[in-house]
């Protein structure tokens, strides 16, 4: 086989060119991948920094909300202490030994009267009647015992009188809410 001098150089040149093209394609691929990775890294870094800023803002918001809640709790605690002190003062002003009932007030409507719980405590009314059992039929109460009479609440009733007996007095059997000591208070019904 007789080959010319150019045939050997041609195959060697083609081999070198194909190696150069392969190397060029590989380098271009590496550069393209590096650029893409660089862009992705930059985007990821920017997203991370934005997430960190957002987390810092949320953290600051949560801290301010926590501080506001703490201040609110302290204010409520102070209010509870003030209310407890006010209750203590009211209890001192309204000892269990006092009588909660006002005098009977005529309502200016026939024989209708009211008696008010003038204390700051609830009172449990056990029985309502005329002070003289014989005159019970002449009394008509708006509520049937037992019931709780709150502060400033009223007991309304009719106290019908006759010429012979007059208007019967009202007897209230009661105890303080939270106490079992039953007491009786009598109020005159005068027009």
């Amino acid at each position: 086989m007789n080959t010319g001098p150019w045939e050997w150089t041609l195959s060697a040149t083609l081999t070198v060119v194909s190696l150069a093209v392969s190397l060029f394609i590989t380098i271009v691929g590496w550069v393209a991948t590096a650029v893409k990775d660089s862009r992705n890294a930059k985007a990821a870094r920017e997203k991370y920094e934005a997430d960190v800023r957002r987390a810092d803002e949320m953290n600051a918001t949560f801290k301010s909300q926590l501080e506001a809640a703490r201040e609110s709790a302290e204010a409520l605690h102070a209010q509870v202490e003030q209310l407890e002190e006010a209750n203590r003062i009211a209890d001192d002003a309204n000892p269990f030994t006092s009588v909660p009932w006002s005098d009977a007030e005529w309502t200016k409507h026939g024989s209708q009267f009211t008696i008010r719980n003038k204390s700051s405590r609830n009172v449990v009314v056990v029985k309502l009647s005329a002070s003289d059992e014989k005159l019970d039929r002449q009394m008509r109460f708006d509520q049937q015992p037992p019931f709780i009479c709150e502060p400033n609440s009223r007991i309304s009733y009719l106290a019908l009188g006759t010429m012979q007996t007059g208007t019967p007095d009202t007897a209230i059997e009661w105890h303080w809410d939270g106490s079992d000591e039953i007491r009786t208070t009598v109020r005159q019904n005068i027009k």
Side-chain angles (χ1 to χ4, degrees):
M1 242 194 195
N2 234 350
T3 60
W6 296 108
E7 285 183 23
W8 174 83
T9 56
L10 180 63
S11 70
T13 303
L14 288 176
T15 304
V16 169
V17 168
S18 67
L19 285 174
V21 169
S22 295
L23 183 61
F24 176 75
I25 291 172
T26 303
I27 291 172
V28 169
W30 286 342
V31 169
T33 303
V35 169
K36 181 181 173 186
D37 288 347
S38 175
R39 286 182 187 153
N40 288 343
K42 183 179 178 184
R45 186 173 39 256
E46 289 172 355
K47 183 181 181 306
Y48 170 77
E49 290 170 356
D51 288 347
V52 167
R53 281 192 303 274
R54 196 170 22 247
D56 287 344
E57 290 169 1
M58 288 176 61
N59 192 21
T61 301
F62 289 149
K63 282 183 180 179
S64 66
Q65 288 175 346
L66 177 63
E67 186 60 32
R70 190 174 293 137
E71 289 172 3
S72 177
E74 289 173 2
L76 287 173
H77 182 70
Q79 285 179 345
V80 166
E81 288 177 349
Q82 289 173 352
L83 287 172
E84 287 174 348
E85 180 63 16
N87 284 341
R88 188 194 61 74
I89 291 170
D91 288 347
D92 290 347
N94 258 333
F96 279 122
T97 57
S98 68
V99 175
W101 306 111
S102 68
D103 290 331
E105 300 171 21
W106 179 48
T107 63
K108 300 186 172 118
H109 297 294
S111 298
Q112 188 173 4
F113 295 87
T114 61
I115 296 176
R116 184 174 56 88
N117 175 1
K118 63 181 182 174
S119 75
S120 63
R121 292 194 179 117
N122 288 343
V123 177
V124 178
V125 177
V126 178
K127 182 180 177 186
L128 294 170
S129 62
S131 60
D132 183 352
E133 290 180 14
K134 296 176 205 166
L135 303 177
D136 264 350
R137 290 185 179 179
Q138 293 176 264
M139 304 289 289
R140 302 286 183 267
F141 295 94
D142 67 340
Q143 301 177 63
Q144 294 302 313
F147 62 89
I148 293 178
C149 188
E150 296 178 348
N152 292 317
S153 294
R154 297 176 183 268
I155 300 171
S156 297
Y157 57 94
L158 290 174
L160 304 170
T162 64
M163 294 298 273
Q164 293 87 10
T165 62
T167 304
D169 295 337
T170 304
I172 305 170
E173 287 187 33
W174 60 276
H175 64 83
W176 294 108
D177 193 14
S179 171
D180 293 331
E181 181 184 345
I182 295 179
R183 303 172 185 199
T184 303
T185 302
V186 176
R187 292 292 183 247
Q188 290 184 334
N189 300 309
I190 301 172
K191 293 183 185 178

